[in-house]
Amino acid sequence: MVRRRECACVAMALALLVPRTSSAETHEVALQYEAPPGCPSRGELEERVGALTRLAVFTEGSAAPQRFEVHIDRRGKDFVGALRTGADGGTRAVEGESCEDVVGALALIAAIAIDPRATAGVSARVAAPAVAPAPAPAPAPAPTITPVPTLTPAPPAVEPDRLPSSPLAWRTDVAAGAEMRTAFAQMPLFGANIAAAIRGQGRLAPALYAGFAYDTGASSVARFALATGEAGACLQRSLGPTWVVAPCAQIDLGQARATGIEVARPGDATRLWGDVSLLARARMNIPLASSFHAEASVGPSLSLTRPTYVFEEPYVVVHQVPLFGLFAGLSAGAAVW
């Protein structure tokens, strides 16, 4: 309860710094809202603002004269929320133990930015003093109410357009999937992979992963197999609670093997294999089960080794590895920590 009251007081202090409208007429606002799973919805935020002031009218699109951008992130055990009130309004941020508290504080800031009179009812709820008890047995005197103290505006909690700094939170995932690659053989190779990853949590955060893959394929004259270890790094961009996109760089190192078939004297050729891929990756967090996700990757690859496979008698080139190829993959995974 103490933490909730502190959050409300901080929200009121920050709200005093938000540019306010002076019109008594309704005020149209375009609202952009992003929050982690389990937080109150955008509709609940609008209802809370509406409970504080009747002047707020929320609309869709960018034609409204006022625009609010609300973004909430989880930081360790707490939640941090930021409200940006248009191009010139700056950014206000609050922190609380629950997403419910943070949404309530941001609703208060938004309401006061629209209607300065919204502070009257809230001030009484935040810091209303107790009424002096009537002495017994004399007749009770008229109750004396101490005036609500005036809150001194606090300095801005954050610099404009920046959230407060805090340690980056990480989580560990494991995943398994299928992949396809070209270049190594005459035809595309198909196989499976497993990987583990550590991912930063936030709107823009790094990710590192490593795993193992095995791919095979066959033509009319040879069988091909490729066993590699994979490692990569990504820069993730969160598009909301469901979608994350990221550019990634991946390196594969391992062993490539080709075996002749349907020839008089088939032989094996084993070579060192290496390639580098630049991938575009998209991840979808499964709704109602945020620990699980599905992921897709695609991009070009550059061959670091380019072996040539031939039949010796008679001399026939079976395959010359080209410089560039294509990599694509699909996987599913879950957070383990």
Side-chain angles (χ1 to χ4, degrees):
M1 182 65 184
V2 173
R3 180 66 179 269
R4 186 184 299 269
R5 180 169 296 178
E6 290 176 351
C7 188
C9 290
V10 172
M12 288 190 62
L14 291 173
L16 294 175
L17 302 177
V18 178
R20 305 175 177 179
T21 63
S22 59
S23 174
E25 299 179 353
T26 57
H27 193 67
E28 293 187 356
V29 179
L31 176 63
Q32 179 181 339
Y33 181 72
E34 295 181 4
C39 283
S41 65
R42 168 182 168 160
E44 292 178 81
L45 175 60
E46 292 179 356
E47 289 178 1
R48 295 189 183 199
V49 175
L52 295 171
T53 175
R54 296 182 181 180
L55 302 186
V57 177
F58 292 97
T59 63
E60 298 290 340
S62 58
Q66 180 70 25
R67 180 178 180 85
F68 287 174
E69 297 179 10
V70 175
H71 184 81
I72 301 175
D73 275 327
R74 190 179 186 94
R75 291 291 184 267
K77 296 182 179 180
D78 294 339
F79 290 83
V80 175
L83 169 66
R84 183 177 181 183
T85 56
D88 301 326
T91 300
R92 301 293 177 266
V94 294
E95 182 175 354
E97 294 179 350
S98 70
C99 195
E100 186 85 11
D101 292 344
V102 171
V103 169
L106 293 177
L108 172 58
I109 296 173
I112 296 175
I114 297 170
D115 179 10
R117 294 174 300 176
T119 59
V122 178
S123 298
R125 289 195 298 272
V126 172
V131 177
T144 301
I145 300 177
T146 304
V148 177
T150 302
L151 293 175
T152 303
V158 293
E159 296 178 7
D161 302 322
R162 292 183 59 187
L163 288 173
S165 60
S166 60
L168 182 64
W170 296 84
R171 89 175 191 180
T172 303
D173 295 349
V174 294
E179 65 178 37
M180 181 278 296
R181 64 173 69 238
T182 64
F184 170 62
Q186 301 157 295
M187 79 298 295
L189 299 186
F190 295 89
N193 61 57
I194 57 174
I198 55 173
R199 306 179 188 277
Q201 300 300 293
R203 179 174 289 189
L204 189 65
L208 302 173
Y209 64 93
F212 175 79
Y214 186 76
D215 306 283
T216 61
S219 68
S220 59
V221 295
R223 224 182 266 111
F224 297 88
L226 184 61
T228 59
E230 303 175 343
C234 306
L235 184 61
Q236 302 178 136
R237 170 70 173 178
S238 174
L239 302 182
T242 302
W243 289 99
V244 176
V245 297
C248 302
Q250 175 175 305
I251 185 169
D252 295 72
L253 296 174
Q255 178 177 279
R257 183 178 181 182
T259 304
I261 57 176
E262 297 184 4
V263 295
R265 292 188 299 172
D268 291 343
T270 302
R271 301 285 187 272
L272 177 68
W273 175 261
D275 66 43
V276 175
S277 302
L278 297 177
L279 306 177
R281 178 164 293 178
R283 186 173 87 250
M284 182 183 72
N285 297 317
I286 306 299
L288 305 180
S290 58
S291 295
F292 296 89
H293 68 269
E295 197 166 70
S297 304
V298 65
S301 62
L302 172 68
S303 302
L304 301 179
T305 57
R306 301 180 61 196
T308 300
Y309 298 97
V310 302
F311 289 138
E312 294 182 348
E313 296 180 8
Y315 185 86
V316 177
V317 176
V318 176
H319 180 62
Q320 167 67 61
V321 173
L323 183 60
F324 295 102
L326 178 69
F327 177 92
L330 293 172
S331 66
V336 295
W337 179 76

